[in-house]
């Protein structure tokens, strides 16, 4: 018995679950090595009467592959209806400071410019990334934060350096160049 054309085409209502699942997967993206950062504090920057205010939020995170290094970054978070619903595209102005907080121990080899942390900054196309590199000549870890978009990138960025120093009298200083993948 021949099938009718209505049996071959999916109905518009049966497509929506698939579309939502696909969009949800694109918005979440792959998990990163670092855990979710710790919220340190937020400060309001723009007052909104009936919706959440625009804010600056400061977060802290530990480098997942280098023990003894912590980074703090501050990002603007949009309020208003779009911010409240989670669909606002966030601004690319992000500041970064990384410091040695204990003896530095490398857990594994890493590539220059390897991701330390990644988080989306819009519903689909924009993400913030913190990447790490090694200045072998100076034995310094270099961290950079930037945001990018699928279509058009952003030149806004911030850099922080962490010189690898002894931590206590018995600490053996490791060379970051020994842990960079060639």
């Amino acid at each position: 018995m021949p099938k009718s054309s209505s049996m071959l085409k999916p109905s518009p209502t049966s497509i929506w679950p698939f579309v939502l699942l696909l969009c949800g997967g694109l918005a979440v993206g792959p998990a990163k090595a670092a855990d979710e950062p710790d919220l340190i504090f937020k400060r309001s920057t723009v007052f909104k009467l009936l919706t959440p205010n625009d804010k600056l939020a400061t977060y802290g995170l530990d480098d997942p592959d280098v023990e003894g290094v912590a980074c703090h970054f501050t990002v603007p978070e949009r309020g208003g209806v779009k911010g409240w619903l989670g669909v606002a595209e966030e601004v690319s102005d992000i500041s970064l400071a990384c410091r040695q907080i204990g003896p530095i121990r490398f857990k594994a080899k890493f590539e220059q410019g390897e991701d330390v942390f990644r988080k989306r900054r819009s519903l689909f196309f924009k993400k913030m990334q913190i990447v790490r590199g090694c200045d072998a000549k100076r034995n310094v870890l270099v961290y950079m934060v930037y945001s990018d978009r699928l279509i058009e990138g952003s030149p806004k960025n911030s850099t922080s350096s962490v010189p690898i120093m002894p931590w206590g009298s018995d600490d053996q200083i490791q060379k970051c160049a020994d842990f960079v993948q060639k």
Side-chain angles (χ1 to χ4, degrees):
M1 177 159 142
K3 295 182 180 178
S4 71
S5 63
S6 65
M7 291 179 74
L8 297 176
K9 292 182 186 175
S11 72
T13 56
S14 68
I15 292 176
W16 280 110
F18 175 74
V19 170
L20 290 174
L21 181 64
L22 178 65
C23 290
L26 289 174
V28 173
K32 281 311 300 157
D35 293 330
E36 281 298 308
D38 302 317
L39 174 65
I40 308 301
F41 64 90
K42 290 184 181 187
R43 292 298 303 223
S44 291
T45 58
V46 176
F47 174 74
K48 309 274 186 179
L49 183 61
L50 299 175
T51 58
N53 294 342
D54 289 354
K55 294 179 176 73
L56 287 175
T58 299
Y59 295 90
L61 66 94
D62 297 316
D63 186 321
D65 295 327
V66 182
E67 186 178 310
V69 175
C71 294
H72 292 88
F73 60 94
T74 299
V75 293
E77 294 181 349
R78 293 213 188 248
V81 173
K82 285 184 178 180
W84 183 52
L85 295 174
V87 296
E89 182 170 324
E90 299 291 352
V91 185
S92 297
D93 300 325
I94 306 163
S95 65
L96 175 71
C98 298
R99 300 291 184 267
Q100 182 174 354
I101 60 167
I104 291 182
R105 300 286 178 258
F106 294 91
K107 297 177 183 176
K109 290 197 177 255
F110 61 89
E111 294 180 21
Q112 294 282 32
E114 184 173 278
D115 283 352
V116 173
F117 178 74
R118 180 185 303 192
K119 184 170 179 92
R120 78 177 171 85
R121 299 285 291 156
S122 73
L123 190 57
F124 295 110
F125 302 115
K126 192 175 196 180
K127 63 185 174 294
M128 175 197 83
Q129 297 177 84
I130 298 175
V131 297
R132 172 195 339 98
C134 166
D135 177 350
K137 179 179 177 181
R138 294 166 186 85
N139 199 29
V140 172
L141 290 167
V142 180
Y143 293 83
M144 179 178 65
V145 64
Y146 67 99
S147 66
D148 62 359
R149 293 177 62 178
L150 186 61
I151 305 300
E152 176 185 327
S154 171
K156 295 182 181 182
N157 62 77
S158 181
T159 304
S160 186
S161 300
V162 179
I164 301 173
M165 305 294 288
W167 196 270
S169 60
D170 296 336
D171 189 23
Q172 298 294 319
I173 299 175
Q174 292 186 310
K175 303 284 185 197
C176 66
D178 296 340
F179 293 89
V180 174
Q181 289 180 351
K182 309 233 188 279

